[in-house]
Amino acid sequence: MAALTPAAGHAAPDPGSAVKVNQVAYVPGLPHRATVVTGSGTPLAWTLRDSSGTTVASGQTSVRGPDSLSGDSVHIIDFSSFDTAGTGYVLSAAGADSNPFDISAAPLRKLRYDALAFFYHQRSGTPIQSQYVGSRYARPAGHVNVPPNQGDDNVPCRVSCGYTSDVRGGWYDAGDHGKYGVNTGIATWQLVNEYERTLHIDGADRAALGDGTLAIPERGNGVPDILDEARWGVEFLMKMQVPEGRTDAGMVRHKVSDENWTGLPMRPEQDPQRRVLSAVTTAATLNLAATAAQAARVWRTIDAGFSARALRAAERAYAAAKADPARYADSGDDSGGGSYVDNNVTDEFYWAAAELFTTTGSAAYRADVTGSPLFRGKGFGEGGFDWWWTAGLGDTTLAMVPNGLPASDVAATRAAFASHGDRLLSQAAGQGYPAPTDGYWWGSNGVVANAANVLALAHDFTGQAKYRAGVYQTLDYLFGRNPFSHSYVTGYGERATRNVHHRFWASQLDSSLPTAPPGVLAGGPNTDLQDPVAREQLEGCKPQKCYLDDINAWSVNEVALNWNAALSWLSFWAAEKAG
């Protein structure tokens, strides 16, 4: 740990073994690297033992020295020359043993479904049934107007708008019971894109996302399960659209949430707070335009009626946004749900235009795409994917899905993925615990996962091995090759996150409640330390060490739809490309 004095009554976060490894699995045929915390200025001996304790490889560390993002002095172990599949390997150096790990692709094949299961667990307005999640995670429907709930079937506006809305369904976004347009939008898009990619990328594993692959009520209906799940997001966003004949018709409400924050724990069906709709925003409206246009395209041959309804909603939303392009979220609207302020929607306009053009071929949408300052991948100058920066989502569609653009425009967009991928690889190369980012703020693990998704797409578009290797190096960081020897994915790794900030997965506060199910991504290190618990225990922390596995440390340990959507996309690609 960086030097800090824990507050009375609190222990400093345990940094774990000095030998930091991917505790889940290194994939055969790819680099196998670990980090060792040591102040030695000369190389050290290392050994690798199998599950029987037999030494199967040995060598010398490489000295890297001081690492600015962690504050540690480190060496690197490269044991790539040993590539025999197996379980229970232990790496030793500097008098310390690593946590055990596998050399195998099998855990990734499981993770792709566990990460997707997050969305069924988070469904609102429907019972979560034990036959799909087990008895510990089963619960009654939340927010369906059964007391003490006040329900989502007849929700008024926080500031009176003269009508109420039925906004049942969708997913709870995070550890609270709010449902948000911008988080639902990017998460829904990533799930649908995960499937749409299999239609257009050679060798993509479409069968792995087929009907019957997920434990959800819709399995067996002839529709790929991932699309059944994603439809919950599209339907919810359409319910948030202001109906015809009302002020702001066609625009989308920014969120529905409790009127005031509830405490922890709080099961969804026991939430007594009044539910309220926030004002419309251009960002939420364009999230509907983009995701509904994408859905219209993908469902065209699956459910023509839904496809047509989605396209009508998308076109209404886009027209409304163009007529009212600067309706931003109120930073003061943070009681009972986060505000999610985004005062730059140039990227959302580009994303929505890209989806509508690709779906319809309309010359008007094409002009908006090609006339955007973000066209041909220029949005990567600002960064990759996040709820507040969605230009890369439009680029993904334009680079992947046949759309009638000249080949030179498609090639330039694909080249932008490679250029941004090179920047990400360069950032990681200078780190003792390589991750494709140089900033750690709210949801840093989601940022890291999405950066890996850019690398994955760069590999899809170029075939270059360096981008594929960068994806798995990122998984090493998320699975334990980090300053805490900590896997940020619940249920994966011997030292994995357990106490996420969540009102139902709250076993730390009430033993009758469960911990998070496997496959949930914790928010991760955050230098802003917005919550009192994190500030108390982590003040002065180095960026990669600003993390605490505590349910009340919401600024570092919450969960979110968009982070798990990124993990789902990443784990599916990684399982496919692991061979």
Side-chain angles (χ1 to χ4, degrees), residues 40 85 389 451 555:
S40 174
W389 190 250
S555 65

Side-chain angles (χ1 to χ4, degrees), residues 20-309:
K20 319 290 189 177
V21 298
N22 174 338
Q23 296 171 36
V24 178
Y26 291 90
V27 171
L30 284 156
H32 309 329
R33 298 191 180 104
T35 300
V36 183
V37 180
T38 174
S40 174
T42 57
L44 301 174
W46 61 263
T47 58
L48 177 68
R49 303 189 306 277
D50 64 17
S51 58
S52 70
T54 301
T55 297
V56 293
S58 60
Q60 295 282 308
T61 64
S62 299
V63 179
R64 176 175 286 275
D67 177 60
S68 61
L69 287 174
S70 66
D72 290 337
S73 184
V74 301
H75 290 201
I76 305 300
I77 296 174
D78 188 333
F79 60 105
S80 305
S81 60
F82 182 84
D83 203 34
T84 302
T87 62
Y89 289 106
V90 173
L91 193 61
S92 300
D97 295 336
S98 74
N99 293 105
F101 59 88
D102 298 351
I103 298 177
S104 171
L108 292 174
R109 291 194 286 270
K110 181 178 184 297
L111 176 60
R112 61 186 170 185
Y113 300 123
D114 284 343
L116 274 173
F118 173 91
F119 291 86
Y120 178 64
H121 282 278
Q122 291 288 95
R123 285 188 189 182
S124 175
T126 189
I128 305 305
Q129 301 177 55
S130 61
Q131 69 190 91
Y132 305 113
V133 299
S135 59
R136 189 140 175 85
Y137 293 100
R139 57 172 174 81
H143 300 95
V144 290
N145 213 30
V146 174
N149 280 172
Q150 298 192 39
D152 280 353
D153 59 334
N154 199 31
V155 182
C157 301
R158 186 181 286 271
V159 177
S160 179
C161 57
Y163 65 95
T164 61
S165 296
D166 181 348
V167 290
R168 286 174 291 183
W171 305 297
Y172 300 121
D173 170 60
D176 62 277
H177 297 140
K179 299 184 290 189
Y180 305 85
V182 293
N183 294 60
T184 298
I186 186 174
T188 300
W189 183 92
Q190 285 193 295
L191 297 193
V192 177
N193 179 261
E194 195 172 329
Y195 173 79
E196 190 172 31
R197 175 185 168 274
T198 69
L199 306 180
H200 302 293
I201 298 297
D202 289 344
D205 187 2
R206 192 183 313 172
L209 292 173
D211 188 24
T213 54
L214 298 180
I216 57 174
E218 297 85 358
R219 64 183 300 163
N221 66 356
V223 176
D225 287 344
I226 193 169
L227 297 185
D228 286 324
E229 192 59 71
R231 185 164 172 168
W232 278 77
V234 181
E235 295 277 13
F236 167 71
L237 288 172
M238 289 195 290
K239 287 184 174 183
M240 295 285 280
Q241 188 170 35
V242 177
E244 295 288 2
R246 296 288 183 180
T247 302
D248 299 321
M251 296 288 279
V252 174
R253 296 276 168 189
H254 198 63
K255 66 178 178 180
V256 56
S257 67
D258 290 334
E259 188 169 25
N260 297 292
W261 289 109
T262 58
L264 281 77
M266 178 62 69
R267 296 171 61 102
E269 76 278 7
Q270 295 174 359
D271 177 5
Q273 282 285 324
R274 186 172 80 117
R275 304 285 275 178
V276 290
L277 288 164
S278 291
V280 300
T281 64
T282 306
T285 303
L286 290 168
N287 270 262
L288 170 60
T291 55
Q294 178 199 43
R297 180 173 70 245
V298 172
W299 267 270
R300 190 175 285 150
T301 59
I302 297 171
D303 185 335
F306 174 63
S307 171
R309 185 161 58 91

Side-chain angles (χ1 to χ4, degrees), residues 111 115 118 443-450 478-479 487-490 497 500 505 516-524 547 556-568 570:
L111 176 60
F118 173 91
S444 67
N445 285 338
V447 173
V448 166
N450 273 322
L478 292 174
F479 287 154
S487 171
Y488 291 116
V489 180
T490 59
T497 293
V500 298
W505 303 331
V520 176
L521 182 64
Y547 175 76
V556 299
N557 213 33
E558 195 163 11
V559 301
L561 291 175
N562 47 311
W563 306 336
N564 245 73
L567 179 66
S568 170
L570 173 60

